[in-house]
Amino acid sequence: MSKKENIVIIGAGLCGSLLALRLAQRGYKVSMYESRPDLRTTDISAGRSINLALSDRGFKALRLCGVEEKARDICIPMYGRLMHDREGNTFASSYSGREGEYINSISRGDLNGILLTEAEKHENVTIHFNTECTSVDIENTVAYFKDYNTKEEFSVDGDVIFGTDGAGSALRKSYYLERKFLFSYSQNFLTHGYKELEIPADTLGSHQISKEHLHIWPRGEYMLIALPNLDGSFTVTLFLSYDEGEYNFNNLTSEEKITEFFEKEFSDALELIPCIKDEFLNNPTGALGTVKCSPWHYQNKTLLLGDAAHAIVPFYGQGMNASFEDVTVFDTILDEHEGDWGATFKAYEKARKEDTDAIADLAIDNFYEMRDHVANPLFKQKRKLEMDLEKTFPTEYFSKYSMVTFNEEIPYAEAMKKGRAQDKALLNMVAHHDLDVITDLNEVLKKVQEETNEILEEDKIAGFK
């Protein structure tokens, strides 16, 4: 493995640009190709989530590459969820019982721009925009491209090719079309899609509702969420079935029907979205899907990272963080196997696959939690108990959410396994009214820990991972 090798990265989004930056810092020559225009000079946000939730795993990767503080400068801290019911009442739920634990709303485009700029500071990095990858010859590591500006079609020989080109990855497509090896692939869509709207800033440029929360309007079969932006606006996302229920994307086609839907279900939000009809009718409806595949690599020549390997739905706020963590894990593996790409790729996938499968499953779980359970009285009691335990025993008790979001050293798979067991133990206590008898939090903690361990042991005996 020579640092003179030509590394080709397909896709200059968040994962690709961070990977390019890290490889450049390690001395590799990197050429990155992106189908979209340069987002630093062109607005290309339409149809994509323009703000995301950045948390500890993402910051760890940014810290590795020396750009953590630049990212923090454009973050808005969100300390918990603020739920809105149909009557306009709100109730808050903190993300953690410990001080200093919160997630951050951040602009996708601004963060991507920071990473591209930092990568370009290295002489050994070149970035090509408006250049779509059409296919990859994985046997000979040749990537084929089309330049949108010149209409020219050309090929690039790479010593190693990384696919960080998202859920529609051209490299992943070439894996199963070329049939060079046994490749497993699944892409599962939710029956729900999403549409983005906007709560603008007030006349003074300030946020009209609390900027310290992620806002949720849970309605069972659908929901609305809102994340704050630095300019005082909120990006609002409606998650709704395509064709099921009284209201769905297929039948909300007239201004009258749209108004009826929002007046009935989200009246307080409707008052804040002045352009609801135009935005609803003109903004695209996006799909929500999970991608799992294996293997991620072909011999010592190509590797998938980020959404190209493991796209997930957005309901745990971990899509970007998981992709950034890919770079952290890959960098650690590279320390161990530098000089042998084949060994590096194999060890990386072995270290990472179980965790990315876990966060994909957790994201689906959280879809139902945010849509249905956050308004359930039993869930509220359970969540309050968790906050009390974290506040009283900050080094002894960590909720599933805290393990996933604020404990970057705990693998996703471990957080899922232990977190699910804890959730079951806590819900059993709440449902069985154990708290009517046990009022001492020390006793509560002891009982939760005992029942959690029993559930984990039962799962182990049953053969659950």
Side-chain angles (χ1 to χ4, degrees), residues 340-353:
D340 186 339
W341 285 118
T344 299
F345 294 169
K346 186 175 182 179
Y348 165 71
E349 183 170 351
K350 184 178 181 180
R352 191 70 180 138
K353 181 72 166 68

Side-chain angles (χ1 to χ4, degrees), residues 12 26 52 58 73 77 88 120 136 141 159 172 192 213 221 227 233 243 255 308 340 364 374-375 405 409-410 414 447:
R26 295 185 71 114
L52 302 166
D73 286 344
E120 276 188 327
V136 180
T141 55
D159 295 306
R172 192 184 66 239
H192 286 56
H213 293 88
E221 290 304 307
L227 277 75
S233 68
D243 55 14
E255 292 186 1
D340 186 339
I364 296 290
V374 290
T405 308
E409 302 307 322
I410 298 178
E414 181 183 336
K447 185 173 177 60

Side-chain angles (χ1 to χ4, degrees), residues 16-302:
S17 55
L18 186 68
L19 177 65
L21 173 58
R22 186 58 189 150
L23 289 174
Q25 290 171 340
R26 295 185 71 114
Y28 292 99
K29 181 183 176 184
V30 178
S31 299
M32 188 157 51
Y33 296 83
E34 169 58 50
S35 62
R36 298 168 298 169
D38 187 343
L39 51 72
R40 293 167 294 180
T41 58
T42 308
D43 182 10
I44 57 172
S45 63
R48 307 191 75 208
S49 297
I50 66 169
N51 53 4
L52 302 166
L54 178 60
S55 53
D56 290 37
R57 295 175 196 270
F59 279 124
K60 181 180 179 179
L62 295 171
R63 192 178 313 125
L64 171 70
C65 297
V67 291
E68 178 185 9
E69 293 310 313
K70 285 185 171 63
R72 288 194 183 275
D73 286 344
I74 58 171
C75 283
I76 300 178
M78 298 182 293
Y79 296 92
R81 299 167 174 168
L82 190 68
M83 265 63 73
H84 301 247
D85 67 16
R86 283 186 174 86
E87 287 69 44
N89 303 310
T90 62
F91 62 93
S93 175
S94 298
Y95 284 127
S96 172
R98 283 174 290 275
E99 293 291 328
E101 290 188 341
Y102 51 85
I103 63 175
N104 299 272
S105 179
I106 192 168
S107 162
R108 175 199 294 270
D110 289 348
L111 179 56
N112 205 160
I114 287 171
L115 296 176
L116 290 169
T117 298
E118 290 300 311
E120 276 188 327
K121 288 179 180 178
H122 294 263
E123 293 182 356
N124 47 336
V125 173
T126 55
I127 306 175
H128 308 266
F129 296 101
N130 296 299
T131 307
E132 180 188 16
C133 181
T134 55
S135 65
V136 180
D137 178 347
I138 59 175
E139 191 68 46
N140 298 300
T141 55
V142 178
Y144 295 89
F145 295 95
K146 180 177 181 179
D147 187 307
Y148 284 145
N149 293 329
T150 66
K151 310 303 179 186
E152 174 194 5
E153 295 184 4
F154 62 97
S155 62
V156 175
D157 292 335
D159 295 306
V160 178
I161 298 176
F162 291 92
T164 57
D165 45 341
S169 172
L171 178 58
R172 192 184 66 239
K173 184 177 181 181
S174 295
Y175 276 8
Y176 62 79
L177 288 179
E178 288 204 19
R179 300 184 184 277
K180 298 288 186 180
F181 61 107
L182 296 176
F183 180 67
S184 299
Y185 167 65
S186 68
Q187 186 168 1
N188 298 308
F189 290 98
L190 293 180
T191 57
H192 286 56
Y194 72 94
K195 188 181 290 287
E196 296 203 332
L197 310 166
E198 182 188 43
I199 295 175
D202 65 18
T203 54
L204 299 176
S206 301
H207 295 90
Q208 296 194 59
I209 52 179
S210 169
K211 69 175 182 178
E212 296 187 341
H213 293 88
L214 185 154
H215 295 260
I216 306 178
W217 290 257
R219 297 295 183 265
E221 290 304 307
Y222 35 81
M223 69 174 169
L224 204 66
I225 70 168
L227 277 75
N229 297 310
L230 288 173
D231 64 0
S233 68
F234 281 82
T235 300
V236 181
T237 308
L238 172 67
F239 298 97
L240 180 69
S241 173
Y242 285 104
D243 55 14
E244 296 177 355
E246 180 183 0
Y247 299 106
N248 55 65
F249 280 125
N250 286 351
N251 68 25
L252 290 177
T253 55
S254 68
E255 292 186 1
E256 293 75 21
K257 188 81 170 178
I258 294 165
T259 302
E260 173 192 314
F261 173 52
F262 275 84
E263 285 180 343
K264 179 180 177 182
E265 300 293 342
F266 312 109
S267 58
D268 60 334
L270 180 60
E271 295 173 3
L272 303 170
I273 309 175
C275 301
I276 180 72
K277 297 169 187 175
D278 289 340
E279 290 179 5
F280 196 97
L281 291 172
N282 294 319
N283 290 357
T285 302
L288 298 165
T290 300
V291 169
K292 293 182 180 180
C293 64
S294 179
W296 294 341
H297 61 96
Y298 179 62
Q299 296 180 357
N300 61 344
K301 301 177 178 182
T302 62

